[in-house]
Amino acid sequence: MDPKNGSSVTGFILLGFSDRPQLERVLFVVLLIFYLLTLLGNTSIIALSRLDPHLQTPMYFFLSNLSFLDLCYTTSTVPQLLVHLRGTDKSISFSGCVAQLFVSLGLGCTECILLGVMALDCYAAVCRPLHYTVIMHPRLCALMASASWFTGFANSSLETVLIFLIPLCGRNKIEHFFCEVPPLLKLACVDTTVYESEILFFSMIFLFIPVALITFSYGRIVRAVLRIKSAAGQRKVFGTCGSHLTVVSLFYGTAIYAYLQPSNNHSQDQGKFISLFYTIVTPMVNPVIYTLRNKDVMGAMEKVFHRGSI
């Protein structure tokens, strides 16, 4: 992709929070702590899923994929943000911006699909328990996970090309802390209606097709729960799928707000803080949501710590 494509831009300035120096100092400390917690939590989920035989199930296979995805997503933006918060140089090269957009979009699209796949796993576990191991065969799980990653990055390739085909006429100051679609569109010196329509079309596909899978799965799960007469049985189902539903609500809520709302409906500061939420807060809390009240994970942690103390 030619960095000059009629726009004479060879690099960008990520303005981020540079107009608020005091906020930058606070954000640096807070985000550094959050980033370290994100690394610790998601790495722990991946390690426990590998080390404990009881966690080598389809649910934890997909959860490991989600944790790895969250690690990559956070790492694609936060380290650079931390450097910019502590220094005066806020620049990013053209190729660096392209790579950052491609990676962050790819990971976001992959998470959309992966959450839909995880909903199907919950459906199979609750509604087809006797056939669960046959339905969710390891090869099928690997295939669905691979398809999620491939499709997510295929869509990212299309959207990234569309974004950087837009003439910028020398504009290079991005009112954001990383290269993301909405602030990049604001740099355009031409009417972006067609580009926005195309991007909105792809975004709706990657938001609403997984949402349809999730709706179908949870519709069946609710019907199955209503047929369970024991409170203990109902609690077990909610323990199995409640964590996933919470993660879905956090992810889709912020994604819909950020990408499917007209850009003139919220301020630039709102957009930055919403982006902070889904780039650092959501990946940090996902491991907590999945381990809270999860006896399998807590038991695996106790075993690992017990081995380490011997």
Side-chain angles (χ1 to χ4, degrees):
M1 200 176 299
D2 184 1
K4 299 205 177 209
N5 78 355
S7 61
S8 302
V9 172
T10 57
F12 297 94
I13 306 297
L14 296 169
L15 297 178
F17 304 94
S18 56
D19 57 334
R20 300 181 181 181
Q22 292 183 338
L23 178 62
E24 282 191 320
R25 287 191 286 271
V26 174
L27 279 176
F28 177 82
V29 176
V30 173
L31 293 179
L32 178 60
I33 293 171
F34 281 11
Y35 182 55
L36 293 176
L37 290 174
T38 301
L39 295 179
L40 176 63
N42 286 287
T43 303
S44 297
I45 291 288
I46 296 170
L48 289 172
S49 299
R50 294 283 184 181
L51 293 173
D52 194 312
H54 294 97
L55 299 185
Q56 292 174 6
T57 63
M59 173 184 171
Y60 291 102
F61 169 76
F62 291 124
L63 182 55
S64 294
N65 270 265
L66 180 64
S67 292
F68 179 69
L69 188 154
D70 282 341
L71 281 174
C72 294
Y73 189 63
T74 303
T75 302
S76 71
T77 57
V78 175
Q80 175 192 261
L81 173 58
L82 291 173
V83 171
H84 285 180
L85 288 173
R86 292 297 293 167
T88 56
D89 184 8
K90 316 287 186 182
S91 64
I92 183 172
S93 66
F94 183 90
S95 58
C97 189
V98 172
Q100 188 176 66
L101 180 67
F102 171 71
V103 171
S104 60
L105 267 180
L107 293 169
C109 293
T110 300
E111 185 158 353
C112 283
I113 303 168
L114 191 61
L115 289 174
V117 170
M118 292 173 75
L120 288 177
D121 176 61
C122 284
Y123 160 74
V126 173
C127 301
R128 297 289 187 271
L130 298 179
H131 303 92
Y132 177 68
T133 55
V134 176
I135 296 172
M136 302 304 293
H137 190 275
R139 288 184 182 177
L140 178 61
C141 293
L143 179 63
M144 289 193 293
S146 300
S148 299
W149 286 88
F150 175 80
T151 309
F153 277 92
N155 175 70
S156 177
S157 299
L158 291 172
E159 291 200 32
T160 301
V161 169
L162 284 174
I163 286 293
F164 285 100
L165 284 175
I166 300 174
L168 304 180
C169 303
R171 299 175 183 177
N172 71 336
K173 292 184 178 179
I174 301 175
E175 275 286 352
H176 214 285
F177 59 87
F178 76 105
C179 294
E180 194 175 28
V181 173
L184 280 168
L185 283 173
K186 291 180 180 179
L187 296 182
C189 56
V190 296
D191 183 11
T192 60
T193 304
V194 175
Y195 293 98
E196 289 184 41
S197 299
E198 292 172 342
I199 291 167
L200 180 63
F201 173 74
F202 288 118
S203 298
M204 289 179 68
I205 289 175
F206 277 86
L207 280 173
F208 291 121
I209 287 182
V211 165
L213 286 175
I214 292 166
T215 305
F216 164 80
S217 300
Y218 278 98
R220 295 299 182 93
I221 289 169
V222 169
R223 289 174 58 186
V225 169
L226 293 176
R227 289 197 294 265
I228 299 174
K229 296 182 179 180
S230 70
Q234 291 180 345
R235 281 196 300 270
K236 184 177 180 181
V237 172
F238 285 122
T240 302
C241 301
S243 299
H244 175 261
L245 193 57
T246 303
V247 170
V248 166
S249 301
L250 285 173
F251 178 80
Y252 278 97
T254 52
I256 289 171
Y257 185 91
Y259 279 87
L260 298 188
Q261 187 174 205
S263 58
N264 57 358
N265 277 13
H266 56 81
S267 69
Q268 292 174 342
D269 283 345
Q270 277 182 316
K272 292 174 190 177
F273 284 108
I274 288 293
S275 296
L276 275 179
F277 189 86
Y278 61 73
T279 56
I280 184 66
V281 178
T282 302
M284 180 190 69
V285 301
N286 281 354
V288 178
I289 293 170
Y290 275 104
T291 55
L292 198 64
R293 296 171 59 190
N294 188 314
K295 295 180 180 178
D296 293 335
V297 175
M298 298 305 291
M301 290 177 67
E302 288 178 8
K303 289 178 185 176
V304 170
F305 288 132
H306 179 68
R307 286 179 200 163
S309 62
I310 295 176

